[in-house]
Amino acid sequence: MTDFAMTVGGAAVPGAGTFDVVDPATGEVFARAPDCGADRLDQAMAAARAAFPAWRRDERHRRDLLNEAARALEAAAGRLAPILTAEQGKPLKDARREIATAVTWLRYYAGLDVPREVSPDGSAEVIRRPLGVVAAITPWNFPIALAMWKIAPALRAGNTMVLKPSPYTPLTTLAMGEMLAPILPPGVLNVISGRDPLGALMTAHPAPRKISFTGSTATGKRVAAAAAEDLKRVTLELGGNDPAIILDDANPGQIADSLFWSAFANNGQICLAVKRVYAPERLYDDLVEALAVRARSVRVDAGTADGAQLGPINNRPQYERVAGLVGDALRHGAVAAAGGRPIDRPGYFYQPTVLSGATDGTRIVDEEQFGPALPVIAYRDLDQAVERANGTDYGLTASVWSPDLDRAARVAAELDCGQVSINAHGRGVRPDLPFGGHKRSGLGVENGLWGLYGHTDLQVLVGSQS
Ligand code: TXE
């Protein structure tokens, strides 16, 4: 695969050079992506700027075109999914599901009615004005879905965009940009690709009025610092170290499936995946075993293989990070109830790993592992478990598991994070609900009316008789 172009001002354009894209199922380079130079970045920003005045004026037109984009993306799913699998590693059915998610988001924002806001005495209207050019920077775990969390609300609100996918997964986003070019007016959605320094060039560029970023907390801080220079607005969706707290009346056999997939879906490479489980001593052994049984039975294979449930980890640094964290935990007294090792084949395959005997203070408990390895931590006192769950700089999501919903809700109320689910994890990830982190998990929210408002500034319009 070599024929991927960037989309700038509605045209397919090459970069100043190319960079390699690796198939994580083989570890081999399988494609090259355009490496956008500074001049081309200027062109993309200029195109987005030029497209803004006309685009922001006609809301009906924007809604129609987002619906048209949804139809086109849906029709292209069969062509895009294999590209997504090749660069990201996820099974084909998951790649198709991710594209379907993006379609859902487009349709949601096309259909969303934005209420008119008028002061109680009717003398003033509060108007949500689009900002102008939005620079969007996305990660490699859900390149298309997370791009659409930005594209759909930003464009619906009347902004234009320059979008840069992760250098690990640029291709599907580039292909989507080319596919949408005949639908959207030139310059409304520009898609460029390049290595990490291109992200820094985007955040420092004078054209964007907002940076919408999803990625690591470390990079998010750099983005915020760069944006502060000229007071660009920012939305940051960063990492998490999301706890699941199991209450002592839960039934391990009943919750294990849902809990397992809340941690291991997409190979654990989800910002809101369950990253640590707090289990009461009474249920500890049963829960570990129930999770381990599932981990051992999962089919890990290339995303193109029939029946694959999990693919490889997306990239070598992440693979080495997961292996390093598991190794560290095993050296510090944890036991692998399932997995614990890389899978002996080319590519970045790792055994789904359930760790018992892990404790707070071990790196895999304290840090974001972002991979197929889950520590289960025993607790005696629920208040202490809650304290440990909150004892992190992250605050993205959490879950509480118990048949006693009132009791679970009381525990949920103690958790400092952007979303808590009961007897599920991440159930509130929907187009119509705000999604964002507390503490160092982010700034601002995406999705729903709130996500759209994040792409606007307020303007008060006060009328009076002359
Ligand atoms: O992320 P980065 P990486 C976490 C996960 C993982 C770690 C590192 O724990 O181990 O992040 O992954 C662009 N200015 N998450 O290195 O660096 C970069 O090109 C502007 C959690 O891939 O945050 C890419 O497009 N942009 C996360 C994007 O930032 C810059 C999902 C994300 O890359 C930049 C992915 C800069 N200075 C990883 N440097 C989640 N929240 O879901 C890089 N980029």
Side-chain angles (χ1 to χ4, degrees):
M1 291 195 201
T2 51
D3 49 352
F4 290 88
M6 303 188 293
T7 298
V8 172
V13 299
T18 61
F19 63 95
D20 293 340
V21 184
V22 169
D23 177 348
T26 61
E28 304 289 336
V29 174
F30 78 102
R32 281 184 293 282
D35 198 355
C36 183
D39 290 349
R40 193 67 91 189
L41 173 65
D42 284 343
Q43 284 171 17
M45 292 293 180
R49 226 179 203 165
F52 176 61
W55 180 247
R56 68 162 277 254
R57 241 174 254 131
D58 188 346
E59 187 178 35
R60 186 65 261 163
H61 186 53
R62 295 202 299 272
R63 294 177 77 159
D64 289 347
L65 292 192
L66 288 190
N67 270 321
E68 214 178 303
R71 280 193 293 277
L73 185 56
E74 198 166 42
R79 185 170 63 81
L80 295 181
I83 306 173
L84 184 53
T85 289
E87 65 178 349
Q88 207 287 331
K90 66 183 68 192
L92 262 174
K93 68 172 182 1
D94 291 345
R96 289 196 79 116
R97 191 176 306 138
E98 179 174 343
I99 293 163
T101 298
V103 171
T104 302
W105 252 251
L106 271 170
R107 292 217 164 102
Y108 168 78
Y109 277 106
L112 179 65
D113 288 320
V114 181
R116 212 174 148 224
E117 294 166 275
V118 179
S119 66
D121 67 356
S123 67
E125 183 172 357
V126 179
I127 297 167
R128 311 267 179 175
R129 286 173 67 91
L131 301 163
V133 178
V134 174
I137 299 174
T138 52
W140 43 260
N141 54 342
F142 289 96
I144 295 299
L146 295 179
M148 201 52 81
W149 283 26
K150 304 181 186 313
I151 296 169
L155 267 50
R156 168 61 206 280
N159 303 279
T160 58
M161 179 171 279
V162 177
L163 165 66
K164 186 198 84 65
S166 165
Y168 292 115
T169 53
L171 304 178
T172 323
T173 312
L174 290 167
M176 181 172 71
E178 285 194 78
M179 192 211 83
L180 294 177
I183 296 170
L184 299 169
V188 165
L189 176 64
N190 306 275
V191 181
I192 58 175
S193 57
R195 299 188 183 91
D196 288 351
L198 179 62
L201 285 179
M202 289 170 77
T203 56
H205 200 281
R209 290 309 313 140
K210 170 170 176 128
I211 314 290
S212 179
F213 172 83
T214 303
S216 63
T217 295
T219 304
K221 287 181 193 170
R222 285 197 278 278
V223 168
E229 195 60 40
D230 48 7
L231 297 180
K232 294 182 178 91
R233 278 69 180 131
V234 286
T235 300
L236 304 175
E237 204 272 272
L238 308 178
N241 191 6
D242 298 15
I245 303 181
I246 317 303
L247 303 193
D248 56 10
D249 51 3
N251 179 329
Q254 269 172 19
I255 66 172
D257 261 333
S258 176
L259 184 60
F260 177 82
W261 286 108
S262 300
F264 286 88
N266 211 44
N267 238 349
Q269 301 164 123
I270 307 185
C271 53
L272 69 145
V274 170
K275 307 236 170 73
R276 34 188 187 134
V277 174
Y278 288 95
E281 283 180 351
R282 194 172 76 76
L283 304 181
Y284 188 79
D285 290 343
D286 287 350
L287 186 70
V288 167
E289 185 49 24
L291 292 170
V293 164
R294 281 151 184 89
R296 284 184 219 114
S297 70
V298 165
R299 169 119 190 253
V300 183
D301 207 338
T304 48
D306 277 347
Q309 292 175 287
L310 297 178
I313 292 173
N314 174 254
N315 57 73
R316 177 166 284 285
Q318 191 60 31
Y319 169 79
E320 284 170 358
R321 177 169 167 74
V322 171
L325 289 174
V326 171
D328 175 78
L330 295 176
R331 280 192 301 280
H332 287 88
V335 173
R341 306 165 60 81
I343 296 174
D344 187 18
R345 60 181 280 181
Y348 312 136
F349 291 92
Y350 200 87
Q351 294 176 339
T353 296
V354 175
L355 294 171
S356 67
T359 54
D360 293 76
T362 314
R363 285 184 61 208
I364 200 162
V365 178
D366 293 356
E367 299 178 21
E368 181 183 47
Q369 65 273 44
F370 215 68
L374 180 67
V376 187
I377 305 129
Y379 75 83
R380 188 168 293 169
D381 176 78
L382 180 57
D383 288 341
Q384 266 177 24
V386 168
E387 198 178 304
R388 286 147 77 182
N390 280 333
T392 164
D393 287 333
Y394 291 113
L396 197 54
T397 74
S399 53
V400 183
W401 303 69
S402 165
D404 182 340
L405 299 186
D406 290 337
R407 191 170 166 234
R410 283 196 298 277
V411 175
E414 299 302 315
L415 295 169
D416 186 4
C417 58
Q419 181 184 127
V420 190
S421 304
I422 294 175
N423 293 322
H425 194 95
R427 189 167 278 170
V429 178
R430 302 194 328 215
D432 61 335
L433 291 175
F435 182 79
H438 295 187
K439 299 189 274 184
R440 292 186 201 166
S441 284
L443 204 58
V445 296
E446 300 197 276
N447 303 338
L449 202 47
W450 304 269
L452 181 137
Y453 287 163
H455 291 90
T456 62
D457 270 342
L458 294 173
Q459 181 183 60
V460 174
L461 181 65
V462 194
S464 72
Q465 295 271 308
S466 61

